[in-house]
């Protein structure tokens, strides 16, 4: 049996009853105290109860001298009125002959076989609860770095195999509609930025004094490069302006709701009318600060 453990000084713990498991002494371990990082609290608010109790997803039961680990709370599935630990089922599958490895996601089992013999599939099904699905796969995808089984990717791959033509058509229609929404923003935005780049590039070019000996064949590529540079920095400035709009209070958005496209339209307008790179950096400085605080200074423009 697993040995009991005690809490360290300063830690507060409590057990939260599992769903449909209220009358049992075991429950999910919730932890609070200085060992719970505030940064983790902000990034994973859904993993906390009342903002202070971290939900560990570990199932424990009280015992003399402390608590005893029972299993993972999210690995306990109720089958026929009895709670079953999916890790135990995985171990039973992995211990079978000709089974290379196995894992369970929800109510589906994914098994990699060394070889397939008569009756092997029925034997594997005999280990699983009756309402579980069985998938025979060539290999289990794993996460880079940790080597753990990528259960989400495995589930998505098997769902893709089992898609019906009707479902595939619905997903294609949904993707097409989402693409149209993106293009409805992307096209006018790029047209505005492109036009602004041409206008500002032409204005800047008009102030350049070119000697008469300059070959006009070289002028056009230079002007094109100048306009592309103008378009690039205006697009980057726009990305930081959009990021800053997400941090503005609601009343600001309400005040500018009559402006075309609201706050986003205002950000596009600002990125179009700024006369130069220096003024653009000044206008986008609040968004740049937000990106630096979230450590997204370089990745944020690339994502946009």
């Amino acid at each position: 049996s697993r040995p009991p453990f005690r809490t360290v000084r300063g830690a507060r713990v409590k057990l939260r009853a599992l769903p449909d498991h209220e009358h049992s002494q075991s429950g999910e371990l919730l932890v609070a105290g200085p060992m719970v990082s505030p940064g983790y609290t902000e990034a994973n608010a859904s993993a906390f109860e009342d903002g202070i109790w971290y939900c560990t997803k570990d199932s424990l039961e009280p015992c003399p001298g402390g608590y005893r680990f029972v299993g993972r709370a999210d690995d306990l599935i109720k089958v026929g009125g009895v709670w079953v630990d999916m890790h135990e089922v995985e171990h039973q599958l992995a211990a079978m002959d000709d089974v290379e490895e196995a894992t369970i996601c929800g109510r589906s089992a994914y098994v990699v076989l060394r070889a397939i013999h008569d009756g092997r599939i029925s034997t594997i099904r005999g280990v699983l609860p009756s309402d579980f699905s069985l998938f025979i796969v060539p290999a289990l995808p794993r996460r880079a770095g940790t080597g753990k089984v990528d259960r989400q990717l495995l589930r998505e791959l098997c769902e893709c195999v089992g898609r019906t033509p009707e479902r595939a058509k619905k997903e294609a229609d949904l993707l097409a509609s989402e693409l149209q929404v993106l293009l409805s923003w992307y096209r006018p935005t790029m047209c505005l930025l492109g036009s602004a780049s041409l206008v500002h590039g032409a204005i800047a070019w008009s102030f350049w004094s070119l000697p008469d000996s300059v070959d006009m064949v070289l002028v056009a590529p230079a002007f094109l490069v100048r306009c592309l540079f103008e378009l690039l920095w205006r697009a980057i400035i726009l990305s930081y302006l959009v990021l800053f709009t997400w941090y503005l209070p609601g009343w600001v958005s309400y005040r500018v709701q009559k402006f075309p496209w609201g706050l986003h339209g205002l950000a596009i307008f600002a990125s179009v009318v700024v006369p130069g790179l220096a003024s653009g950096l000044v206008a986008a400085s609040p968004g740049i600060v937000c990106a630096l605080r979230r450590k997204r200074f370089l990745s944020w423009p690339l994502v946009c």
Side-chain angles (χ1 to χ4, degrees), residues 1-6 15 26-27 58-71:
S1 62
R2 297 184 177 96
F5 66 89
R6 299 177 180 177
L15 298 182
S26 62
D58 289 329
S59 179
L60 276 69
E61 63 180 5
C63 66
Y67 298 90
R68 180 174 287 110
F69 178 76
V70 177

Side-chain angles (χ1 to χ4, degrees), residues 9-287:
R9 179 179 299 177
R12 292 183 294 160
V13 300
K14 68 176 182 178
L15 298 182
R16 181 175 63 180
L18 297 172
D20 300 326
H21 211 196
E22 290 82 359
H23 301 294
S24 173
Q25 289 186 337
S26 62
E28 181 183 358
L29 174 65
L30 274 60
V31 181
M35 71 291 300
V36 180
S37 169
Y40 190 81
T41 307
E42 297 172 0
N44 301 271
S46 60
F48 285 79
E49 182 181 271
D50 299 332
I52 58 173
W53 292 97
Y54 172 57
C55 307
T56 64
K57 298 293 184 182
D58 289 329
S59 179
L60 276 69
E61 63 180 5
C63 66
Y67 298 90
R68 180 174 287 110
F69 178 76
V70 177
R72 291 287 294 173
D74 48 2
D75 287 334
L76 297 176
I77 297 180
K78 200 170 188 179
V79 179
V82 179
W83 286 94
V84 179
D85 188 353
M86 291 299 100
H87 278 298
E88 297 295 334
V89 180
E90 285 185 358
H91 292 326
Q92 294 180 25
L93 291 174
M96 298 179 66
D97 295 336
D98 298 329
V99 174
E100 182 72 26
E101 53 183 349
T103 189
I104 293 179
C105 303
R107 293 183 178 270
S108 299
Y110 304 89
V111 179
V112 180
L113 295 178
R114 300 187 186 95
I116 298 180
H117 299 292
D118 293 339
R120 179 59 60 196
I121 302 300
S122 59
T123 304
I124 295 176
R125 285 193 178 276
V127 177
L128 298 174
S130 58
D131 59 342
F132 271 50
S133 301
L134 174 62
F135 294 90
I136 305 299
V137 295
L140 297 180
R142 299 188 178 275
R143 298 182 182 274
T146 62
K148 295 182 179 179
V149 176
D150 193 339
R151 298 171 184 250
Q152 181 64 29
L153 177 59
L154 184 62
R155 189 183 297 111
E156 291 175 356
L157 291 175
C158 290
E159 286 179 355
C160 290
V161 173
R163 285 189 304 179
T164 62
E166 294 78 9
R167 181 179 175 184
K169 184 178 184 303
K170 289 182 179 179
E171 292 180 355
D173 294 340
L174 179 61
L175 180 61
S177 63
E178 291 177 348
L179 181 60
Q180 289 300 322
V181 172
L182 288 175
L183 291 178
S184 66
W185 282 83
Y186 176 79
R187 285 171 177 167
T189 300
M190 295 308 297
C191 287
L192 288 173
L193 289 180
S195 301
S197 301
L198 287 174
V199 172
H200 288 284
I203 294 175
W205 191 268
S206 64
F207 288 97
W208 288 12
S209 57
L210 299 176
D212 297 335
S213 59
V214 174
D215 189 355
M216 295 304 296
V217 177
L218 301 177
V219 172
F223 177 73
L224 180 61
V225 171
R226 176 69 175 80
C227 292
L228 289 177
F229 174 72
E230 191 89 16
L231 176 63
L232 176 63
W233 71 256
R234 288 183 185 276
I236 294 176
I237 293 300
L238 174 60
S239 68
Y240 288 121
L241 288 172
V242 170
L243 178 62
F244 177 61
T245 60
W246 294 356
Y247 290 87
L248 292 175
W251 64 266
V252 177
S253 178
Y254 177 77
R255 291 291 181 86
V256 299
Q257 63 180 351
K258 293 184 178 180
F259 196 87
W261 293 346
L263 282 175
H264 287 172
L266 195 60
I268 295 172
F269 177 76
S271 64
V272 168
V273 300
V274 288
L277 178 58
S279 56
L281 290 174
V282 173
S285 57

